[in-house]
Amino acid sequence: MHNPAGTRARVRLGATLAGILPGTVYGALAATLPEVAHLALLVSVPAGALFGTLLAVGLAHVFGRRTLSVLSGLLVCAGAVCPLVPLAFLGVVLGGALAGTGAGMICVTTSLLSGELSATNRETPATDITSYFPLGVGALLVIVVVGDALAVPPATTAWSVVAALSVVVSAVHLTMPESPAWLACHRSIEDAHACLVRMYGTLEAGLELDW
């Protein structure tokens, strides 16, 4: 039995979390800079995000929006773990670059996915994921302040939160349907129809194929 309302709720949740995640990456960068004040660290996250954005534009058409979103979240997790292991300066810069790359990729893939899963004149999933970016930055820095009051190093708290959130984001995206437009182009109309049935139910799915 399909649950279209539940599927749409997961799509909205996935889009929201994907908007928050890049904000937490930049919040972690801000929390780390006082400990590792170096230009390489400052550049690592935005440079990685730029690279990830450009990379995702092409890869999303090859591997699919949902698959690449899941992988992007795991890439952020890998980047967040690097500063937590004893690799000193190299680990922090490498982690920032990887996390930034994943953050840039997930912004592209989730925008494509949630946009292509939305439909005219229906309850539309959240597509403007960038509006949640400040929430990610602010929430992370609040957690860092609380952790600092408990004598936990800010960088450790920040990257731990990023790692945990990125796993949650990937898990949520794994439960979301793939883009029907991508399925129609790369697999079959039947797969695209099955995706639309998950989103809107059997009676309405056929109408959505017209777009």
Side-chain angles (χ1 to χ4, degrees):
M1 178 67 69
H2 295 288
N3 181 10
T7 301
R8 293 195 297 271
R10 287 195 299 275
V11 172
R12 287 194 299 273
L13 176 62
T16 301
L17 293 177
I20 292 173
L21 182 59
T24 63
V25 172
Y26 278 89
L29 172 64
T32 308
L33 280 173
E35 298 180 28
V36 186
H38 196 283
L39 181 61
L41 173 61
L42 180 62
V43 172
S44 64
V45 172
L50 175 60
F51 175 70
T53 299
L54 298 175
L55 188 64
V57 171
L59 293 182
H61 294 290
V62 177
F63 296 105
R65 285 79 158 107
R66 185 190 68 171
T67 300
L68 198 60
S69 292
V70 173
L71 294 177
S72 299
L74 295 178
L75 184 59
V76 173
C77 182
V81 169
C82 287
L84 300 177
V85 298
L87 294 177
F89 177 73
L90 178 62
V92 174
V93 174
L94 176 62
L98 290 176
T101 300
M105 290 173 64
I106 205 167
C107 284
V108 173
T109 56
T110 304
S111 293
L112 287 172
L113 179 59
S114 61
E116 291 168 2
L117 285 172
S118 65
T120 306
N121 297 325
R122 286 170 175 80
E123 187 177 358
T124 305
T127 54
D128 184 16
I129 67 172
T130 57
S131 62
Y132 298 102
F133 185 96
L135 177 60
V137 177
L140 182 101
L141 293 179
V142 168
I143 295 172
V144 166
V145 169
V146 173
D148 188 55
L150 298 174
V152 180
T156 300
T157 301
W159 290 112
S160 297
V161 171
V162 173
L165 179 60
S166 61
V167 171
V168 173
V169 171
S170 290
V172 172
H173 278 248
L174 198 59
T175 68
M176 291 164 56
E178 180 55 271
S179 160
W182 187 87
L183 290 171
C185 292
H186 293 81
R187 293 189 183 174
S188 67
I189 295 297
E190 289 74 18
D191 288 336
H193 180 263
C195 167
L196 291 169
V197 169
R198 287 184 63 188
M199 284 290 293
Y200 301 109
T202 305
L203 295 178
E204 298 183 11
L207 298 176
E208 297 305 323
L209 289 176
D210 292 338
W211 54 233

